[in-house]
Amino acid sequence: MTFDQMLERVRYEGAYPTRQRAEEAVHNVLAALGRQVTGDERVDLAQCLPVEAALILTSRIPATEQLTGWGFVKDLAARTGGTPATARWDTGAVLAVAARLAGPDLLARILHRLPDGYALLFGQAELRQRQAA
C-alpha cells in the first residue's frame, strides 16, 4: 500500500471531508503510537507501513511510561488541542488501517506489549485480562 492509498483508506474509515484532514489524523496518531510501541514490534510495524508513515512512527522517542488505551486518547487530545471524542475517532480510523497492514500476528504481539485498552483502539476485542501484581 502506498502512503496515498493509506490516506484514502483512513479518509474513508474516518469519513473525513478532505485528504488533508485524513493526513493530519495519520500524522498525529502514528506520532503518538510511536511514543508507545517499542522493541521488535516497533520495527516490524514500521516495515509494514508505507515509508512516509513509518517515518512518522519512528521519529518519536518512546515514552518512559506507557499509557493505557484511554490515557493514549487523552494524551492525543491534549497534544492536538482536540477533544477526547475527536482523538478517539482519529485513533480508530488510523489504527484500523494500521491493524490491517500489520496483520493478525504482529497486531497480537503489539497488543500483548501494550497496556489495557489498545485492542479496542485497533478495532479488536479486548480478550485478555491482566493478572494482579
Side-chain angles (χ1 to χ4, degrees):
M1 177 180 286
T2 67
F3 188 62
D4 285 337
Q5 290 170 328
M6 181 181 185
L7 292 179
E8 283 306 312
R9 192 71 210 156
V10 169
R11 182 177 177 190
Y12 176 80
E13 290 284 336
Y16 296 117
T18 65
R19 183 179 184 276
Q20 180 180 358
R21 179 63 185 93
E23 188 168 1
E24 181 182 309
V26 167
H27 187 274
N28 291 336
V29 172
L30 289 181
L33 187 63
R35 289 188 287 275
Q36 298 300 309
V37 177
T38 60
D40 290 341
E41 288 74 21
R42 177 183 172 105
V43 172
D44 293 345
L45 179 58
Q47 290 176 342
C48 294
L49 298 174
V51 172
E52 299 89 338
L55 291 173
I56 295 167
L57 177 81
T58 58
S59 68
R60 299 304 188 265
I61 297 170
T64 56
E65 182 180 331
Q66 286 188 317
L67 301 171
T68 65
W70 177 237
F72 178 87
V73 170
K74 290 191 308 184
D75 182 64
L76 181 60
R79 289 176 186 271
T80 61
T83 65
T86 302
R88 173 61 182 95
W89 184 270
D90 291 349
T91 299
V94 174
L95 295 186
V97 174
R100 284 195 292 280
L101 291 172
D105 293 338
L106 176 55
L107 182 58
R109 287 178 30 223
I110 291 169
L111 292 175
H112 181 73
R113 295 203 31 147
L114 290 171
D116 287 336
Y118 281 89
L120 293 174
L121 298 179
F122 278 95
Q124 307 291 309
E126 186 82 46
L127 298 177
R128 67 183 176 153
Q129 292 191 3
R130 302 279 181 176
Q131 295 193 5

